[in-house]
Amino acid sequence: MEKSDLRIVFMGTPEFAVASLRKLVDEKYNVVGVVTMPDKPAGRGHKIQFSDVKKYALENNLPLLQPEKLKSPEFLQQLAAWKADLQIVVAFRMLPEVVWNMPSKGTFNLHASLLPAYRGAAPINWAIINGEKKTGATTFFLTHEIDTGNVIFQEQIPILEEDTAGTLHDKLMTLGAELVIKTVDAILQSNVKPIPQENMLSEGKSLPAAPKLYKETCKIDWSKTCVEIYNFVRGLSPYPAAWTELKDMKGRELNIKIYAVEPEIYSHEFSPGILKTDEKTFVKIAVSDGFIKLKNIQLPSKKRMNTEELLRGYKITEDFKVKF
C-alpha cells in the first residue's frame, strides 16, 4: 500500500497535536478526516473558542467532526463513513473500544513520556517536578486501559536544568511529530513489532504517574528543599503555574503565581516561609536548606513581570510571610 492510499483519521485538540497533523499533511499523507473537541466559551467575554486542531483543519480544508459523545450513533456513522485504515490520537480524549477498534490497521496514540512511566494527563509537568534527567515520546496501540497499550516506538531526550514545562513541551511536540511519521511508515510497511508494556517494567521499581493537575496540586509546599521547589516551579511554568499565599501582620493576604525562581542553597536560622526583601530588587523565601529567590511572578489581575519590575510599582515588605 502506498501512503497516498492509506486513509488516516487524526484525533487531537491542543497545539501539541497540531505539529503531528501538520507533519502528516506536509508529507502528503492521506488525512481523510479530523476529530477534535466541541467549541467552548473561554475568557471573560465567554467568546466561543476553537481548538488549535480545528483552526488548522479549517485552514487546510480537512473534513472535521466535533462530537459531544464518542458513542453517539450519529458520530459513529460519520466516522465509519471516512473508512479509515488507521487512526492517530494526539492529546485528545479517552476513546471507547467501538472507536479505537474501527480501523483495520488499528489506532495508535502519541504520549509525551517514556511509557510505561508517567501514564496520565500531565507527563511533561510531572517529569520535571520529579527531577527526571530524561524523558521522551512514545507511540503505542490503544487498548482498554489508558496509556497501557503495546509500545511501537520511543524516542528519548534529556531534560536540561533550565527546562520548563513550556520549553520541554515544544521539544516533545517536534519530536512527537517525527515519531508519528516514523510510526505511520512502519505500519505502512507492515514492519511493526509492538512490545507489551509489561515487558518493559523493572522488577521492584514503582512507576511514576502523571495525574491531572488541579489548583491545589500547584500550591508550593515550602517545607520542601530548594531543589524540590525549583523543579516544582519550572515543572508548572508557564502553565498552569505554581502559586503561594502571603499574609502580613495586619492580616492582608496576597495570592501570587510564580513562574521562575532561583535556588540559593546555604544554612540559615530562619523558619521556612519567612520572607526577606530589600523592597527594591529582590524577594526571597526561606526553606529548610536555603532560600528561593522569586524571579518572575504575577499578582492577581496583573501581568507577569520580573520581581524587580514589580517592586517598582507594588510594595512587598518583610511583614509578609507564607500562609501555610
Side-chain angles (χ1 to χ4, degrees), residues 181-200:
I181 297 300
K182 179 179 177 180
T183 304
V184 173
D185 286 345
I187 291 171
L188 257 175
Q189 297 158 14
S190 300
N191 190 26
V192 173
K193 298 177 181 177
I195 303 171
Q197 288 190 38
E198 305 84 71
N199 297 356
M200 304 170 72

Side-chain angles (χ1 to χ4, degrees), residues 60-230:
N60 291 272
N61 299 313
L62 296 172
L64 184 69
L65 292 176
Q66 296 179 268
E68 291 281 353
K69 297 180 179 178
L70 296 176
K71 289 184 179 179
S72 75
E74 182 184 10
F75 167 64
L76 293 176
Q77 185 178 9
Q78 291 170 324
L79 184 62
W82 281 342
K83 298 179 181 177
D85 300 304
L86 177 69
Q87 290 176 161
I88 301 171
V89 181
V90 182
F92 188 50
R93 297 154 66 181
M94 188 172 178
L95 301 182
E97 182 176 2
V98 68
V99 173
W100 58 254
N101 207 22
M102 193 178 287
S104 60
K105 294 186 181 296
T107 299
F108 77 82
N109 181 259
L110 172 68
H111 188 72
S113 82
L114 296 172
L115 290 173
Y118 295 101
R119 294 168 176 162
I124 296 172
N125 306 93
W126 285 107
I128 297 177
I129 289 169
N130 289 341
E132 300 287 359
K133 301 302 182 186
K134 65 180 181 181
T135 186
T138 303
T139 52
F140 66 96
F141 284 116
L142 288 191
T143 187
H144 290 93
E145 298 298 323
I146 191 166
D147 296 338
T148 60
N150 293 348
V151 168
I152 308 168
F153 291 123
Q154 288 188 329
E155 294 286 347
Q156 179 178 305
I157 59 170
I159 300 177
L160 305 180
E161 190 72 21
E162 64 270 19
D163 268 326
T164 65
T167 63
L168 193 57
H169 168 280
D170 292 351
K171 293 176 186 179
L172 288 171
M173 181 171 65
T174 301
L175 180 72
E178 298 287 348
L179 196 59
V180 164
I181 297 300
K182 179 179 177 180
T183 304
V184 173
D185 286 345
I187 291 171
L188 257 175
Q189 297 158 14
S190 300
N191 190 26
V192 173
K193 298 177 181 177
I195 303 171
Q197 288 190 38
E198 305 84 71
N199 297 356
M200 304 170 72
L201 298 171
S202 300
E203 191 171 346
K205 186 177 180 182
S206 60
L207 281 176
K212 186 175 180 179
L213 295 166
Y214 296 95
K215 183 180 179 182
E216 281 307 308
T217 317
C218 301
K219 187 176 183 180
I220 297 173
D221 179 356
W222 295 99
S223 68
K224 301 278 190 181
T225 66
C226 275
V227 169
E228 288 172 326
I229 293 173
Y230 173 68

Side-chain angles (χ1 to χ4, degrees), residues 298-315:
Q298 183 177 20
L299 299 180
S301 303
K302 304 291 183 181
K303 66 175 184 176
R304 276 180 61 176
M305 59 184 77
N306 293 332
T307 302
E308 188 172 342
E309 180 187 1
L310 182 140
L311 289 173
R312 286 199 289 267
Y314 193 93
K315 194 173 182 64

